[in-house]
Amino acid sequence: MVLKTEHLNYIYGAGTAFEKQALKDINLDIPENQFIGIIGHTGSGKSTLIQHLNGLIRATSGAIYADGKNIYEDGYDKKTLRSKVGLVFQYPEHQLFETDVFSDVCFGPKNLGLCTEEIEERAREALSQVGLDHSYYRKSPFELSGGQKRRVAIAGILAMHPDVLILDEPTAGLDPRGRDEILDQIEKLQKEQKITVLLVSHSMEDVANYVKRIIVMNKGQVLYDDVPSRVFEHYQELETVGLAAPQVTYVTQTLKSQGWDIDTSVTTIEEAKQAILKALNK
Amino acid sequence: MLRDITLGQYYPASSVLHRLDPRVKLVATLAFIVSLFAFGSVSSYFVATIALAVVIKLSRVPFRFITKGLKAIFILMLITVIFNLFLTPGTPVLEVWKFTITMEGIRTAAFMAIRLIYLIMGSSIMTLTTTPNDLTDGMEKGLGFLKVFHVPVHEIAMMMSIALRFIPILMDETDKIMKAQMARGADFESGNLIQKAKNMVPLLVPLFISAFRRANDLAMAMEARGYHGGEGRTKMHPLEYKKTDKTAYVILLMYLLLMFLTSRYVKIETWLGF
């Protein structure tokens, strides 16, 4: 599914003392099979933006096209849109409610009106995609660890077979190992299923290692929308909006300013290592 | 619907009313409501209307915020008015089938409607100009004398302020969980009553769990900061009456006196002929 937003504006609490423009003129193209990172400081509008993409929030003005169809048109099937654009909220483990892990994952596909075999098949598949085997199926979600709960919640969305998977800060509150595991699994999933993944985060470091495109949000507007290396060239501007480039950017930029002939477009530690070795050998 | 109730929604602004001691506002609101019921005459309602208008002007809260709370009591008001209109015995004015509208009926119905509207508007002004924390502080201090009768004033005030504090949090939480379940295809609108109740499970279970989790965290945080009940607890900003507060009390007394005098001696009703 291809998503496209046109002049999207959203005003929060219109007509009250707390009126605030949360989104300002957002124009984005989200094609198929792309791993995208959405970065922004707290309150930059990134969470508001993603809730527009599956029709949970209605924009004050502007339009969103899903496969060319305007989702705000009368009679547009929002329920189908929501099954195609899977949204995993922040702290998704807080939304678990069933008595066991397996039934909770079944909730989404059940709402799609599938038959029992299909539902269970999808639940098993989704749980294996997040790395939980059948020994977890009958456990209560509340006996699991934080990271495991989160994976159950993500599986609940995956079981709906979305074309676009949006994850709002999927690593918030996890330890470094849990964070890497979840991000690795998401990357693997993206490659295998060829779906579009939007990863919302405030940590450049997290995103830089995985995504192919970064959308930087600031005060409800899109500040940059480009490949990671090009976005990180603006590392000084990023700092002024409360963000930072990955540490390797600082290392290579500092080396360059001290006269080394080094490629500064690297984004991961591995690439940086190669670039530094290359510069040393010159 | 929940958002229509203005009671308990603070409107930030800078006005004399906002800065007034919460105790003054509590007493004044109570006095205003009592005065509406105790002095029921056209002339005294005239005084009450002027007083209310002046207070609204002073509060610097947009008028539509004050009238917002009226929507919630509209049905109640309608029933009250209709009952009073048709069931009050007296001089008949109009007869419709088995029902008679009497002069007295019109009078009571009108008075009742005005009372209810003013009551809601008056208390809305108080809650719009006072933060929930100030309000409970005011209650705690104002009702402090009840401690003599072993009423746990501090505990009640603390519970109230925590409850008030949690209303927006739980509303946000409800909104969030609802959206999250809708993202999984949950449907909270269609179906019959039983179906609807069943559909609420994915919302209510996480909501209860989160309420308990928050309560637990809060209790822990309070204990970590040495909370041990009201005994010997001091305040960062103790409530003290200032000059404006005393002036406000004087104005309040003058208002009550005026209400009493007009209801007693200025009979606009007899001039108008009812």
Side-chain angles (χ1 to χ4, degrees):
Chain A
M1 180 170 268
V2 183
L3 290 171
K4 186 180 162 67
T5 72
E6 259 184 23
H7 305 295
L8 213 62
N9 282 293
Y10 181 69
I11 295 162
Y12 170 81
T16 71
F18 311 100
E19 188 173 301
K20 192 191 162 210
Q21 181 145 17
L23 292 180
K24 265 182 235 162
D25 196 36
I26 306 281
N27 297 289
L28 288 173
D29 272 302
I30 295 157
E32 278 173 340
N33 191 15
Q34 197 174 41
F35 202 155
I36 308 170
I38 300 182
I39 307 270
H41 202 251
T42 314
S44 60
K46 50 194 192 321
S47 293
T48 314
L49 172 66
I50 55 168
Q51 287 178 42
H52 279 82
L53 296 179
N54 74 344
L56 282 172
I57 299 181
R58 198 191 165 98
T60 313
S61 69
I64 298 175
Y65 297 94
D67 278 339
K69 276 195 204 128
N70 189 346
I71 69 161
Y72 294 138
E73 236 162 54
D74 285 336
Y76 187 88
D77 187 6
K78 288 248 170 76
K79 227 175 158 176
T80 314
L81 175 74
R82 280 177 201 149
S83 73
K84 290 285 159 209
V85 182
L87 176 55
V88 180
F89 276 81
Q90 230 173 62
Y91 297 102
E93 61 272 25
H94 292 171
Q95 281 108 50
L96 303 175
F97 69 97
E98 279 284 8
T99 46
D100 64 59
V101 166
F102 194 73
S103 335
D104 207 281
V105 177
C106 285
F107 180 69
K110 210 188 269 171
N111 285 326
L112 296 178
L114 305 167
C115 65
T116 319
E117 288 100 77
E118 171 86 23
I119 292 171
E120 288 182 357
E121 177 55 39
R122 281 187 176 199
R124 271 192 290 272
E125 181 197 28
L127 280 164
S128 81
Q129 278 169 345
V130 295
L132 293 174
D133 62 37
H134 60 85
S135 64
Y136 290 100
Y137 289 4
R138 296 296 156 211
K139 278 196 178 164
S140 160
F142 305 104
E143 307 171 31
L144 305 179
S145 74
Q148 287 167 336
K149 274 191 221 174
R150 189 159 301 178
R151 287 192 223 174
V152 173
I154 294 173
I157 297 288
L158 290 179
M160 296 175 77
H161 287 182
D163 292 340
V164 180
L165 179 65
I166 307 172
L167 300 119
D168 193 355
E169 308 242 0
T171 59
L174 293 185
D175 53 31
R177 200 173 137 205
R179 180 192 68 200
D180 291 344
E181 275 174 5
I182 286 213
L183 290 175
D184 285 341
Q185 268 154 0
I186 293 166
E187 188 188 34
K188 194 168 140 233
L189 195 80
Q190 196 273 329
K191 285 204 173 112
E192 280 172 5
Q193 311 273 322
K194 301 209 181 316
I195 55 174
T196 291
V197 173
L198 269 86
L199 186 66
V200 178
S201 178
H202 60 254
S203 156
M204 283 290 182
E205 220 84 26
D206 270 12
V207 168
N209 294 333
Y210 297 95
V211 304
K212 297 286 167 283
R213 171 183 168 194
I214 291 180
I215 298 167
V216 180
M217 300 275 299
N218 184 42
K219 291 180 183 158
Q221 283 170 308
V222 174
L223 192 63
Y224 301 113
D225 179 2
D226 216 325
V227 293
S229 57
R230 297 276 287 279
V231 170
F232 297 148
E233 277 173 17
H234 305 280
Y235 68 102
Q236 279 149 334
E237 287 91 337
L238 288 173
E239 278 174 15
T240 61
V241 299
L243 295 167
Q247 282 172 346
V248 292
T249 306
Y250 292 101
V251 172
T252 52
Q253 291 286 357
T254 312
L255 285 171
K256 191 170 188 182
S257 69
Q258 289 177 357
W260 289 87
D261 178 23
I262 188 167
D263 177 16
T264 53
S265 70
V266 296
T267 54
T268 63
I269 294 174
E270 191 51 41
E271 284 169 13
K273 180 183 151 196
Q274 299 303 333
I276 291 169
L277 285 173
K278 220 171 113 188
L280 281 172
N281 288 334
K282 261 179 199 165
Chain B
M1 195 196 77
L2 265 167
R3 283 157 219 274
D4 288 339
I5 303 170
T6 343
L7 288 166
Q9 277 187 6
Y10 178 65
Y11 182 91
S14 162
S15 77
V16 191
L17 246 65
H18 282 78
R19 284 189 295 270
L20 223 51
D21 190 295
R23 283 171 293 176
V24 181
K25 285 186 263 189
L26 277 166
V27 171
T29 311
L30 203 68
F32 178 70
I33 291 168
V34 169
S35 77
L36 286 177
F37 285 87
F39 311 118
S41 81
V42 176
S43 53
S44 51
Y45 278 9
F46 194 65
V47 175
T49 310
I50 294 170
L52 195 62
V54 170
V55 169
I56 289 172
K57 190 78 198 152
L58 278 177
S59 75
R60 291 196 190 160
V61 177
F63 191 63
R64 63 200 159 87
F65 278 90
I66 295 156
T67 50
K68 240 185 194 172
L70 291 177
K71 272 186 229 157
I73 59 141
F74 183 73
I75 299 289
L76 176 77
M77 217 167 72
L78 209 67
I79 293 168
T80 319
V81 166
I82 287 170
F83 268 81
N84 277 308
L85 205 56
F86 289 106
L87 299 176
T88 317
T91 353
V93 180
L94 193 72
E95 277 187 52
V96 188
W97 187 44
K98 275 184 184 168
F99 300 103
T100 19
I101 296 176
T102 62
M103 202 65 215
E104 284 79 359
I106 296 174
R107 204 189 117 109
T108 1
F111 275 14
M112 216 54 203
I114 293 173
R115 265 178 204 158
L116 278 172
I117 292 170
Y118 282 16
L119 188 151
I120 292 290
M121 281 168 78
S123 35
S124 288
I125 291 171
M126 177 186 69
T127 52
L128 280 163
T129 58
T130 321
T131 61
N133 270 337
D134 277 351
L135 212 59
T136 40
D137 270 2
M139 276 184 189
E140 190 181 345
K141 188 113 188 221
L143 300 175
F145 65 91
L146 286 175
K147 273 186 206 147
V148 183
F149 307 105
H150 296 289
V151 179
V153 180
H154 168 78
E155 280 72 15
I156 293 172
M158 183 56 90
M159 278 192 260
M160 268 184 66
S161 56
I162 291 174
L164 284 168
R165 179 71 193 83
F166 267 67
I167 291 173
I169 294 179
L170 286 180
M171 258 159 82
D172 273 0
E173 192 87 15
T174 311
D175 190 56
K176 231 168 64 188
I177 297 168
M178 226 163 154
K179 277 180 179 163
Q181 305 297 23
M182 272 159 79
R184 294 213 274 165
D187 188 352
F188 294 109
E189 272 117 38
S190 50
N192 58 31
L193 204 64
I194 296 168
Q195 202 67 45
K196 264 188 185 163
K198 260 187 174 168
N199 290 349
M200 283 308 205
V201 174
L203 171 65
L204 291 178
V205 172
L207 193 61
F208 267 96
I209 293 167
S210 114
F212 279 114
R213 190 182 54 236
R214 281 178 193 283
N216 233 336
D217 289 353
L218 182 68
M220 188 85 86
M222 282 168 79
E223 268 177 12
R225 287 189 278 173
Y227 180 77
H228 54 80
E231 211 55 54
R233 191 173 150 83
T234 53
K235 292 230 184 282
M236 192 169 172
H237 302 292
L239 287 176
E240 264 164 48
Y241 283 126
K242 287 189 283 292
K243 210 179 157 199
T244 32
D245 300 316
K246 285 169 192 157
T247 320
Y249 272 130
V250 174
I251 295 170
L252 181 67
L253 271 176
M254 273 156 60
Y255 161 77
L256 287 176
L257 197 68
L258 204 60
M259 285 292 276
F260 173 72
L261 290 177
T262 45
S263 75
R264 201 76 193 269
Y265 300 110
V266 188
K267 296 279 180 207
I268 297 177
E269 289 94 328
T270 44
W271 307 342
L272 291 174
F274 58 83

